[in-house]
Amino acid sequence: DTAVSQTPKYLVTQMGNDKSIKCEQNLGHDTMYWYKQDSKKFLKIMFSYNNKELIINETVPNRFSPKSPDKAHLNLHINSLELGDSAVYFCASSQAWGQGISPLHFGNGTRLTVT
Amino acid sequence: KQEVTQIPAALSVPEGENLVLNCSFTDSAIYNLQWFRQDPGKGLTSLLLIQSSQREQTSGRLNASLDKSSGRSTLYIAASQPGDSATYLCAVEGDSSYKLIFGSGTRLLVRP
């Protein structure tokens, strides 16, 4: 199936730990994103990569570090997890960046719970 | 700073009813406006994308309109079905930032 897939679906961990979320898209898209959806369901962009280059880096603590080994993959590593990091993290991709014509395709999300 | 607002926050209608979801945005300098559907525990599914030069887009029972000058969009759902129950989000892409800014969504329940 062509899709945006992210793993794991659920992640429960303790404060202070380091964890990673992986994302892969096989749609042939050039641009990938990480979004965070908080408890009030607000979706906010965190990062965007276009052809492996970082193009959007919102005001996110530097404990969050994205890595794009190739344009089909965008992983998110989080150091020293805090309670406030609990949220659902969505990966997304689009065909191109900055052209206003390509809709976003989302993964099913990773629900991170920090205890 | 772009802000996107969706009204109502929640809506419950009987099956078969036609309904309208509203979205407003504060900065009219947009590339496009997108409507998404989110089912519980799932990601977002793109429904319609309206480019800034367009006034509306249609897909099946869905019709989305865009009035850039007034900063408004509506999503019209005809003959609603229980399967339409989901949260509907609108988002605008800024024409200089290229960032997609989301509203908080309208939670729709279509009762059989």
Side-chain angles (χ1 to χ4, degrees), chain A residues 80-97:
Chain A
S80 304
L81 278 155
E82 299 177 358
L83 292 176
D85 297 332
S86 295
V88 181
Y89 293 84
F90 286 99
C91 177
S93 71
S94 64
Q95 189 170 6
W97 178 71

Side-chain angles (χ1 to χ4, degrees), chain B residues 25 41 59 74 82 91 102 110:
Chain B
F25 48 96
S59 176
T74 60
F102 281 84
V110 181

Side-chain angles (χ1 to χ4, degrees), chain B residues 7-8 12-14 16-17 23 36 38 48 54-55 57 59 61 72 88 101 105:
Chain B
I7 294 173
S12 177
V13 300
E17 195 162 296
C23 173
F36 294 88
Q38 185 175 24
L48 291 162
Q54 297 173 327
R55 296 297 296 260
Q57 283 287 337
S59 176
R61 295 181 293 108
R72 294 184 182 196
Y88 290 81
I101 307 296

Side-chain angles (χ1 to χ4, degrees), chain B residues 67-95:
Chain B
D67 184 340
K68 224 174 72 157
S69 59
S70 67
R72 294 184 182 196
S73 175
T74 60
L75 179 67
Y76 175 82
I77 303 177
S80 58
Q81 301 170 0
D84 295 330
S85 298
T87 297
Y88 290 81
L89 297 111
C90 75
V92 295
E93 183 175 348
D95 67 3

Side-chain angles (χ1 to χ4, degrees), chain A residues 9 33 35 37 40-43 45 56 58 90 97-109, chain B residues 4 31-32 34 36 38 41-46 49-51 89 93 97-104:
Chain A
K9 187 174 174 63
Y33 311 79
Y35 279 83
Q37 188 171 43
K40 295 185 179 178
K41 304 299 184 185
F42 265 108
L43 262 167
I45 190 166
I56 294 176
E58 285 297 277
F90 286 99
W97 178 71
Q99 295 180 8
I101 59 172
S102 51
L104 262 63
H105 295 254
F106 280 81
N108 283 336
Chain B
V4 181
Y31 244 150
N32 64 53
Q34 300 183 38
F36 294 88
Q38 185 175 24
K42 301 277 189 179
L44 281 70
T45 301
S46 177
L49 182 152
I50 311 175
Q51 295 179 50
L89 297 111
E93 183 175 348
S97 69
Y98 307 121
K99 287 186 288 192
L100 208 55
I101 307 296
F102 281 84
S104 57

